[in-house]
Amino acid sequence: MKLSKKNLHERLEHVYDVIIVGGGAGGLSAALYLQRYRLSCLVIEKGRGRSFWMQDLRNYLGLPPNTPGRDLLQQGQNHILSLGADYLLGFVEDVQDEGDTFAVKVKVGKKDSTYPVFHSKYVIAASGIIDHLPQLDDMQNVYDYAGYNLHVCMICDGYEIADTRCGLFVNTEGNINTAFVLNWFTPYITVFTQGLFEVGEEMRHKLRDHGYPLVEQPIRRFLGHNHEMTGVELVDGSVVPLETGLVAMGSHYFNEYLKGLDLEWSGSNLVTDSMCRTSHPRLFALGDLKVGLNQVSIAVADGTLAGTAIWREIRRASPPRRWEENLSEPIGAVS
Amino acid sequence: MKLSKKNLHERLEHVYDVIIVGGGAGGLSAALYLQRYRLSCLVIEKGRGRSFWMQDLRNYLGLPPNTPGRDLLQQGQNHILSLGADYLLGFVEDVQDEGDTFAVKVKVGKKDSTYPVFHSKYVIAASGIIDHLPQLDDMQNVYDYAGYNLHVCMICDGYEIADTRCGLFVNTEGNINTAFVLNWFTPYITVFTQGLFEVGEEMRHKLRDHGYPLVEQPIRRFLGHNHEMTGVELVDGSVVPLETGLVAMGSHYFNEYLKGLDLEWSGSNLVTDSMCRTSHPRLFALGDLKVGLNQVSIAVADGTLAGTAIWREIRRASPPRRWEENLSEPIGAVS
């Protein structure tokens, strides 16, 4: 059921089999599997994750290529609620290992917040990432185009960028190297540093060699209408016409709540085994938070893997059910 | 485009980037990614695979839980055709490694068959499995219930079996062990050997200990109506009432066309790395054919992984595209 400030006290004594931090594609898929394995789980979603912002999910088998990410999330949320999962809008602040269980502290409500603590045998970290975006005075101007033709994922949307005049927006010299992958899709690349850092001579030479203009002036605003970005206006008033954009400015990882646990990391990503188990035996990590491709299909499969691994472990530790309860003797021919 | 006897000659000189053997969830997902990476691929589907028979796909995030497997396949087929993939109904008889390319021999048409040979740089084996079913004189009687409440996958459908009187249909003593996993979902299990093999004393004892009746008489037919199986009639005319069934008789692997290649196998499954690459560097395997869970979500993610690995390899071997073709000088403020 949906939990809120009004009813969450009903669950404070309950020990869930699994608490899932994050209600994106990975977390919802894990809940779907766990509930179908007849285990109890609570999904805690902070809202507005990466797939929420996705205007068109074009590469997930089974959905028409113009499906908004939020439709996938809504369908998944309905699905897991129909299977008896609990779902709470809240922000996970901390996870403590209590030995046999975890204590998961959540901030619920932006005003008059409460801080309930829920308990579970396992935790699945599926809280994902959010892409850094160009920081303009008017962020609404950025949101008007981000997720439309101002893309944030080349693997997802390179196809839409193909052979267009594309602006590549970066915040480090290392991120400029994205240009030399993006050119598989288009050679008409203009690199925007937004004046955030100095570009070394070697990189300048490489860009010149490829014919990719480098724009180092800060951006005043994106131009366009109806969510279709048509170019960039720089602070000096000059305009660079574009047909598409790709933001390659890194990501914020929602993993602060895990920092009290002793886990193996690879940069900001959690290291996991083939079933998405982290170096902690009762903690799993899915999707963008773990090492691997940041794709909806991968997160969904990760949910399958983690859910199945947890079910196997709980099942093997449980006594077998014998045919002796409720039902009478079997009818018919038996040995 | 859809290929057929009439137009396939147009593609006999073409070297595809990838030929995908199997148009199930894995193969379609791979084609979706490859075409979006602007690579060319041909999907060869023999028809009527495991997901085609799935009456309700209940555990794939984003689709309502009563979605027939064939709807997923149809949506995926439309999707990849819209992206320019080629699609052919045919049966792959043989794959030969020619060094830089593979030669893929296909039987097209059940009558007046033709045997075209297509070529590609990479091959993705996504031809899957099909479950062995009880062999009755009237197989239509089996098909009336298989994929409805006569299930073939416990991970998929254990939830629907929960607390029901379930018939477990096996063909080896080893498969009887499925009962001791199935009892997570229900203890009301009757095991049917169909008289196909002898059951040892130890297993008989274990079944008695759990209270699971063992029926060794051959089956005459499944009883029921409107695709809802209600029990089994044995050859002596006696009836065992059931509410659900699970067939655990192993699977046929569609991998004969690979037998001429030197590949690493684990039983009937292909061994692959984390990107679904087999021991042959230009051959990938997806979904049920490889080691791992037989789930739609896994196959779809496998398609993502294999498609991405192949794209990376082809991209890295290609010369970079410079901004010098077609378009004039960039407009606006540039360095």
Side-chain angles (χ1 to χ4, degrees), chain A residues 242-258:
Chain A
L242 299 169
E243 293 165 288
T244 60
L246 178 68
V247 178
M249 298 175 57
S251 308
H252 176 73
Y253 285 72
F254 295 111
N255 57 18
E256 292 82 359
Y257 61 95
L258 297 170

Side-chain angles (χ1 to χ4, degrees), chain B residues 18 31 67 71 113 125 155 205 211:
Chain B
V18 189
T67 306
D71 285 11
S113 307
I155 285 189
H205 181 81

Side-chain angles (χ1 to χ4, degrees), chain B residues 308-328:
Chain B
T308 302
I310 291 170
W311 168 59
R312 283 177 176 166
E313 209 158 82
I314 291 178
R315 171 170 59 75
R316 285 168 187 163
S318 305
R321 292 175 74 193
R322 292 183 171 75
W323 188 339
E324 56 198 358
E325 318 150 49
N326 306 326
L327 279 193
S328 59

Side-chain angles (χ1 to χ4, degrees), chain A residues 153-231:
Chain A
C153 170
M154 194 196 326
I155 285 188
C156 309
D157 298 319
Y159 185 80
E160 277 66 37
I161 293 172
D163 296 325
T164 64
R165 281 182 188 237
C166 181
L168 177 66
F169 301 90
V170 298
N171 56 349
T172 66
E173 182 166 313
N175 286 338
I176 295 180
N177 286 307
T178 305
F180 311 113
V181 180
L182 181 61
N183 65 5
W184 171 263
F185 295 103
T186 185
Y188 313 123
I189 300 168
T190 302
V191 176
F192 294 84
T193 67
Q194 311 166 69
L196 294 173
F197 61 96
E198 278 300 308
V199 181
E201 265 318 305
E202 196 177 341
M203 184 60 85
R204 285 176 191 279
H205 180 80
K206 192 169 177 186
L207 288 171
R208 267 197 304 273
D209 185 47
H210 283 74
Y212 304 158
L214 177 67
V215 178
E216 302 190 74
Q217 234 191 98
I219 295 166
R220 180 179 289 158
R221 61 182 177 123
F222 290 96
L223 303 172
H225 56 279
N226 201 17
H227 300 301
E228 186 170 331
M229 192 264 295
T230 56

Side-chain angles (χ1 to χ4, degrees), chain A residues 33 36 160 212 295 321, chain B residues 33 36 160 212 295 321:
Chain A
Y33 270 82
R36 289 185 57 85
E160 277 66 37
Y212 304 158
Q295 292 288 290
R321 292 174 73 192
Chain B
Y33 270 81
R36 290 184 58 84
E160 277 67 38
Y212 304 158
Q295 292 287 288
R321 292 175 74 193

Side-chain angles (χ1 to χ4, degrees), chain A residues 58-106:
Chain A
R58 300 186 182 92
N59 57 11
Y60 183 63
L61 191 76
L63 295 183
N66 58 348
T67 306
R70 58 187 176 279
D71 285 11
L72 173 80
L73 300 178
Q74 190 59 58
Q75 168 63 43
Q77 200 188 112
N78 295 344
H79 197 159
I80 67 162
L81 287 169
S82 78
L83 292 165
D86 283 347
Y87 187 94
L88 173 67
L89 274 178
F91 186 82
V92 172
E93 295 208 326
D94 187 47
V95 172
Q96 293 286 338
D97 186 1
E98 298 178 314
D100 289 337
T101 56
F102 287 105
V104 178
K105 183 182 167 193
V106 188

Side-chain angles (χ1 to χ4, degrees), chain B residues 238-253:
Chain B
S238 61
V239 167
V240 183
L242 299 169
E243 292 164 289
T244 60
L246 177 68
V247 178
M249 297 174 58
S251 307
H252 176 74
Y253 286 71

